[in-house]
Amino acid sequence: FISRMGVGAMLGKRRPPCTRCGFRTALARISPLDRTHGFRMFECARCGQVDHYTVPIDGRGDWMVLRGEVLTKVVETLRHN
């Protein structure tokens, strides 16, 4: 499952809202994925939800929330790099 957060939604925001409760999250991890995207992990202090995103390195594309099989594949890629 992937959902997108457009540039407009993320413009000026460094910490996206929690996908479960909407509270402000804290950055927990940054890792490069490939030449065009990075991986960011944010944790919610209120409910403990951890959200995972792919983020364009140039800042000109959508942030994508990763879940399920897609998240599993990304984590496996990070482990092998």
Side-chain angles (χ1 to χ4, degrees):
F1 172 78
I2 299 176
S3 66
R4 295 177 186 269
M5 296 183 74
V7 174
M10 292 308 301
L11 196 60
K13 295 182 182 181
R14 294 187 181 176
R15 300 190 291 180
C18 174
T19 59
R20 181 186 293 158
C21 74
F23 195 72
R24 192 170 181 178
T25 58
L27 182 62
R29 178 180 178 174
I30 297 176
S31 298
L33 265 181
D34 57 35
R35 292 176 36 208
T36 60
H37 288 84
F39 175 81
R40 294 188 187 172
M41 193 165 75
F42 292 87
E43 186 172 358
C44 179
R46 179 184 285 167
C47 72
Q49 170 76 10
V50 177
D51 294 323
H52 305 84
Y53 294 84
T54 59
V55 180
I57 291 173
D58 67 5
R60 286 192 251 158
D62 294 341
W63 287 39
M64 292 185 278
V65 179
L66 305 175
R67 293 195 176 106
E69 290 179 29
V70 175
L71 175 58
T72 301
K73 289 178 184 179
V74 168
V75 169
E76 287 175 8
T77 300
L78 290 170
R79 285 187 185 148
H80 288 79
N81 291 337

